[in-house]
Amino acid sequence: MFNNRSGELVGFVYNGAEMAKQVLSFMVIGINSNIKYSLGYFGTNSATADEIYPLFWECVSHLELTCGLKVT
């Protein structure tokens, strides 16, 4: 997890017991509105395109189908 106050990463990698060194975060920021929202974040030591790709499209699907937002 990311500690907003200290700016430090505190927590473990999602699939293992090692300390995370990076955070993969999906942010929603509105173009025509003031929306700024963290949709999800994951502790990681590395993230490949093969791992990010399905997560990205799951986020887009959730925003469009569940929330009714248009993702461009």
Side-chain angles (χ1 to χ4, degrees):
M1 292 175 36
F2 181 74
N3 185 327
N4 289 332
R5 290 187 180 151
S6 69
E8 294 179 328
L9 186 62
V10 181
F12 295 96
V13 174
Y14 181 71
N15 293 7
E18 57 187 305
M19 286 294 281
K21 296 179 182 163
Q22 302 168 350
V23 171
L24 171 62
S25 177
F26 291 99
M27 298 290 298
V28 178
I29 300 174
I31 295 172
N32 296 323
S33 67
N34 292 329
I35 293 174
K36 290 183 182 175
Y37 181 73
S38 174
L39 187 59
Y41 59 92
F42 309 91
T44 181
N45 283 329
S46 65
T48 65
D50 292 341
E51 296 168 334
I52 296 171
Y53 185 83
L55 291 172
F56 171 79
W57 286 110
E58 186 175 341
C59 290
V60 170
S61 175
H62 178 73
L63 290 170
E64 291 188 338
L65 300 175
T66 306
C67 300
L69 297 174
K70 179 173 172 68
V71 177
T72 57

